[in-house]
Amino acid sequence: MSIMTSLNISASGMTAQRTRMDIIAQNVANVNTTRDENGDPYRRQTVVFEERAAYNRNFESYLTAQKTGLSYNPQVGSGVKISAIAEDHVTSMKKVYEPGNPDADEDGYVTYPNVNTVTEMTNLIDASRSYEANVTAFNATKNMALKGLELGK
């Protein structure tokens, strides 16, 4: 693996976690949004990650796989990508009795979003720690490259 590949993997992780933090912030901001542009309550959103694959089609890797008896897999992981930003339809919406609210149904209940602030803050801490881990890996790779350049002096 080259230095640039390592940097790209860390950068993709930072980008993915930054997007995750943005979605979490959007969820927290809409915790009391009972009506969106379609007239429905806001639904919690989640980020779905997927491995970003690069294809390694060089002859040497194929030959090595044949010599060792291992199966040849031309797909090599090269970071993470966001495959979707999905709405949470698993967690139920909250119903609160507020007969005076203009968004109340005929029984006087208002449907609030399925956003739990504690869950969102926990996810935010997790995303920020993952971001920090990617920054640490990026800086370690950068320092290794700089040390390699100093060897040439």
Side-chain angles (χ1 to χ4, degrees):
M1 180 185 317
S2 72
I3 296 288
M4 291 308 291
T5 303
S6 298
L7 293 173
N8 284 334
I9 290 171
S10 296
S12 73
M14 287 186 280
T15 302
Q17 294 302 332
R18 186 188 68 224
T19 302
R20 184 176 171 208
M21 287 188 273
D22 289 344
I23 294 298
I24 291 168
Q26 181 178 327
N27 288 341
V28 171
N30 287 297
V31 72
N32 291 321
T33 303
T34 57
R35 189 182 324 164
D36 62 6
E37 62 273 357
N38 299 327
D40 299 323
Y42 176 82
R43 280 204 176 271
R44 178 178 180 263
Q45 295 185 348
T46 58
V47 180
V48 180
F49 295 134
E50 183 178 302
E51 179 185 10
R52 187 173 69 186
Y55 289 94
N56 184 11
R57 297 184 181 179
N58 63 11
F59 184 71
E60 181 184 356
S61 59
Y62 178 76
L63 194 60
T64 304
Q66 292 300 316
K67 283 182 190 175
T68 59
L70 299 173
S71 62
Y72 175 65
N73 184 6
Q75 211 172 2
V76 179
S78 65
V80 65
K81 69 178 180 177
I82 297 170
S83 61
I85 296 176
E87 286 186 345
D88 181 6
H89 290 279
V90 176
T91 310
S92 61
M93 306 293 262
K94 294 181 228 161
K95 289 209 173 236
V96 177
Y97 185 69
E98 293 179 3
N101 192 317
D103 291 330
D105 61 10
E106 59 276 351
D107 296 327
Y109 286 95
V110 178
T111 304
Y112 280 96
N114 56 349
V115 177
N116 183 340
T117 309
V118 175
T119 302
E120 296 302 322
M121 295 308 292
T122 304
N123 290 339
L124 183 63
I125 291 169
D126 181 48
S128 67
R129 296 275 198 257
S130 297
Y131 186 89
E132 289 172 8
N134 281 297
V135 167
T136 301
F138 187 90
N139 287 334
T141 304
K142 183 180 72 170
N143 289 335
M144 282 189 274
L146 290 173
K147 291 292 183 187
L149 290 173
E150 288 177 5
L151 290 176
K153 287 185 182 180

